[in-house]
Amino acid sequence: MRSIWNGAISFGLVSIPIKLVNATESHSISFRQIHLADGGRVRYRKVCELDGEEVPAAEIGKGYEEADGSIVPITEEDLAQLPLATARTIEIMSFVPAEEIDPLQMDAAYYLAANGATAAKPYTLLREALKRSRKVAIAKYALRGRERLGMLRVVGDVIAMHGLLWPDEIREPEGVAPEASVSVRDAELDLADALMATLGDVELSSLKDEYREAVEELITAKAGGAFEPSSEAVVEPAGGQVIDLMAALERSVRAAKASRGEGGGESAATSAEEEAEVTPIRRKRAASAAAAAAPKAVGGKKSTAASAKKTAAASKKTTGAAAAKSTSKSTTAGKAGGTKSTSAAAKKTAAASKKAATPRKRTSA
């Protein structure tokens, strides 16, 4: 890989010659501006405002524009004479835990390559020291006409440097957070956790830019003359819909699990409900059965009298049957033992019938 900057890492009294190599590259597709009438390319030309002539790159310099519109020329020699210690040096300022670096400060990334055989030893020393301490180095360096802030960390067997924005370049998020007061229930958080657990496990190397691939296929088709416009309707992004958050989370969890082949994909809340099966007590039916079995307690004198009459009638019927049976037995005995036994039995039967026929007094409720 081609280096874009040569210098050294200043590590206390240790100096490590290094080369700066881009660690990232852009795969975005670039388009040219064309004239729609004839397809001709539209180019930008750098023209001097004073004489109207196009200026070649070799004759273009730098200048600072004052508030009144006047230009102050600044040459490369002027910049080279500035007392800047980081002009060709990555000066390490301190070592801090990686957690203290706000990801909002992250900028471009570079690989630091050892420049020459003499740089191998100190380069390896710094790399292993960073590994063992589990810290990152904060450094200052100058690149493309300005001093920058950087973070050095270990990636595999090399030292990488991330450009960092200066703290005053991070804007405060004023007016960004929702102004309305919103409360989140524990059940919603449980479903969100379940969804995060389902979607969180993914290999970053498997992700790809599908939009770029679609644009490349479009360009290939149009270049070959085989392009046919799609008749499918354009899907508009959904917005402004009022949804049931719990239902949406549950559907999301089920869909995510189904896409991974994890069974029915039931949510955590649904599974918990299914595990705790409860058989409800049928109170209404039990009460009805008990009421049918027991006599109704009805208040009032009229109801008490009717009940007493029914009881008396039942007693007479039962006593009559018992008396007849007893008389039959007594008669049989009388035939065997004489008239005296029959008369005594008859008297006992009559007394028992009179006693049974008398209704009991009941107090009203």
Side-chain angles (χ1 to χ4, degrees):
M1 292 185 286
R2 186 175 63 89
S3 63
I4 62 172
W5 185 88
N6 292 337
I9 299 175
S10 176
F11 178 31
L13 298 178
V14 179
S15 180
I16 310 172
I18 56 97
K19 297 184 294 184
L20 201 65
V21 179
N22 279 322
T24 62
E25 58 185 3
S26 175
H27 289 169
S28 61
I29 298 174
S30 299
F31 294 102
R32 302 292 187 183
Q33 290 186 328
I34 62 171
H35 187 197
L36 294 177
D38 54 17
R41 182 178 170 185
V42 177
R43 297 177 180 270
Y44 289 100
R45 296 184 178 182
K46 297 180 179 180
V47 178
C48 178
E49 292 181 351
L50 298 179
D51 56 17
E53 297 292 332
E54 185 176 354
V55 181
E59 298 180 9
I60 297 176
K62 297 178 181 179
Y64 179 80
E65 184 176 3
E66 295 280 9
D68 57 0
S70 60
I71 301 294
V72 179
I74 302 294
T75 64
E76 293 296 334
E77 290 76 13
D78 296 334
L79 296 175
Q81 293 177 4
L82 293 176
L84 189 61
T86 57
R88 284 292 172 182
T89 303
I90 299 175
E91 184 179 357
I92 294 178
M93 312 296 295
S94 64
F95 295 88
V96 300
E99 295 78 15
E100 293 188 8
I101 305 300
D102 190 342
L104 283 174
Q105 289 186 259
M106 296 290 188
D107 201 357
Y110 308 94
Y111 289 134
L112 302 181
N115 192 4
T118 57
K121 179 69 173 182
Y123 183 95
T124 305
L125 172 64
L126 177 58
R127 182 191 67 194
E128 296 304 315
L130 288 172
K131 276 186 180 180
R132 190 168 69 173
S133 67
R134 296 183 180 180
K135 293 183 177 181
V136 296
I138 303 301
K140 293 168 65 176
Y141 66 101
L143 182 66
R144 299 189 179 99
R146 57 169 296 192
E147 189 173 51
R148 303 170 186 266
L149 194 63
M151 178 190 75
L152 278 64
R153 69 184 185 96
V154 177
V155 178
D157 292 331
V158 301
I159 299 174
M161 182 174 69
H162 294 268
L164 299 178
L165 298 176
W166 296 98
D168 59 358
E169 293 178 321
I170 305 297
R171 300 175 62 185
E172 292 294 331
E174 297 178 357
V176 179
E179 296 181 359
S181 177
V182 179
S183 60
V184 179
R185 295 179 294 169
D186 290 339
E188 293 170 338
L189 285 174
D190 293 340
L191 282 172
D193 290 340
L195 181 58
M196 290 169 62
T198 305
L199 299 179
D201 187 12
V202 64
E203 293 183 5
L204 292 179
S205 59
S206 65
L207 303 179
K208 58 183 179 179
D209 188 349
E210 296 179 357
Y211 178 78
R212 178 177 60 85
E213 292 180 353
V215 173
E216 290 176 346
E217 293 177 0
L218 170 65
I219 295 172
T220 302
K222 296 200 75 171
F227 173 74
E228 295 182 2
S230 176
S231 59
E232 297 181 0
V234 178
V235 179
E236 296 292 338
Q241 296 182 353
V242 179
I243 62 173
D244 184 344
L245 182 58
M246 289 289 289
L249 286 170
E250 289 178 350
R251 287 196 300 267
S252 299
V253 172
R254 287 196 294 268
K257 289 185 176 181
S259 65
R260 295 173 179 269
E262 298 181 10
E266 285 137 352
S267 66
T270 306
S271 300
E273 290 177 1
E274 290 182 353
E275 289 177 2
E277 294 183 358
V278 179
T279 303
I281 299 175
R282 299 180 180 180
R283 295 181 178 178
K284 290 186 178 180
R285 293 187 180 180
S288 300
K296 294 183 180 179
V298 183
K301 295 182 178 179
K302 187 175 181 180
S303 300
T304 305
S307 179
K309 287 182 180 180
K310 289 181 180 179
T311 304
S315 299
K316 285 182 179 181
K317 187 175 181 180
T318 305
T319 305
K325 190 174 182 181
S326 177
T327 304
S328 177
K329 288 182 178 180
S330 301
T331 304
T332 304
K335 287 180 179 181
T339 308
K340 188 176 181 179
S341 301
T342 305
S343 177
K347 288 182 179 181
K348 289 181 179 181
T349 302
S353 300
K354 187 176 181 181
K355 185 178 181 180
T358 305
R360 296 180 180 180
K361 292 183 179 181
R362 304 183 103 189
T363 58
S364 60

